[in-house]
Amino acid sequence: IFIAEMGAYKQGEIKTLCDMVHPKYGILTRIGLAHLETFGSEENIISGKFELIESLPSDGFAVLNGDDPKQVNYKLKNKVKTIWIGIDNKDVDVRATNIKCSSKGTSFDVEFKNDKKKYSFETKLLGNHNVYNILAGIACGVEFGIDVDELISAVKSVKPVEHRLELKKLGNFY
């Protein structure tokens, strides 16, 4: 599987990249207001980000954030399978609960729709934004048929990027 980040500074750039790469799967983590000046409006940012999802074939899938109102309220123009992730929204397919941060990293439980079992995950990464990123990866992994126990192990082994929310100890303080 080839993973490509498709960033853009203006509307149409993600569509151009999709026309070259022909992605089958897509993830939107969160839609913010970065590059508002070059996109021209919040609506242009939203439609620009959804160029990825609307380029996906019907036999692919999209992972969307059910806690992001910009994604929840968007009306898709294609018939791609959609997997919703979230923390606050209880009506998603893959949800993180019981999130705890410590000097060792972040731990959380993952619940899957139609599965009463909770799965415990641990990561050295810090912050809810990383939980969202991990949830998206978990959703993809499950969709690809990877066993949840393998995903638990893989998430535990993820190393933080140096100098990015890296926890440092200074004397007795973290």
Side-chain angles (χ1 to χ4, degrees):
I1 295 171
F2 173 70
I3 299 173
E5 180 179 4
M6 295 191 177
Y9 291 100
K10 62 183 180 181
Q11 203 168 3
E13 289 184 336
I14 291 176
K15 173 74 171 107
T16 299
L17 292 169
C18 289
D19 289 344
M20 289 188 311
V21 177
H22 302 288
K24 189 171 183 178
Y25 317 108
I27 298 171
L28 287 184
T29 51
R30 187 164 290 272
I31 300 174
L33 296 177
H35 312 301
L36 181 60
E37 182 180 341
T38 56
F39 271 93
S41 71
E42 185 174 20
E43 293 76 24
N44 287 346
I45 292 172
I46 295 167
S47 64
K49 295 283 187 172
F50 269 94
E51 289 170 3
L52 167 62
I53 306 307
E54 292 176 348
S55 294
L56 300 176
S58 60
D59 63 337
F61 64 82
V63 177
L64 300 178
N65 185 335
D67 291 342
D68 184 352
K70 295 177 185 96
Q71 293 183 47
V72 172
N73 296 323
Y74 189 84
K75 301 295 182 224
L76 277 174
K77 297 177 180 99
N78 62 341
K79 299 278 186 198
V80 67
K81 178 179 182 175
T82 303
I83 303 163
W84 291 95
I85 62 165
I87 295 172
D88 300 321
N89 185 341
K90 294 179 182 177
D91 189 31
V92 293
D93 301 299
V94 183
R95 182 173 181 236
T97 60
N98 196 30
I99 301 169
K100 294 179 181 156
C101 289
S102 73
S103 61
K104 295 180 182 178
T106 306
S107 65
F108 56 95
D109 294 328
V110 172
E111 302 171 0
F112 297 94
K113 197 176 220 173
N114 305 324
D115 183 352
K116 300 217 183 287
K117 188 174 177 190
K118 290 184 180 186
Y119 301 87
S120 295
F121 283 78
E122 296 175 14
T123 179
K124 293 176 185 85
L125 305 181
L126 299 171
N128 277 10
H129 67 288
N130 280 314
V131 174
Y132 283 111
N133 295 339
I134 290 168
L135 281 177
I138 291 168
C140 287
V142 167
E143 193 64 26
F144 290 140
I146 299 172
D147 184 74
V148 176
D149 288 331
E150 288 182 60
L151 295 170
I152 290 169
S153 177
V155 168
K156 193 171 187 171
S157 71
V158 172
K159 292 179 175 44
V161 175
E162 193 174 2
H163 308 298
R164 297 286 181 154
L165 283 175
E166 187 179 22
L167 195 61
K168 303 269 187 179
K169 187 172 182 178
L170 187 62
N172 291 329
F173 299 100
Y174 284 96

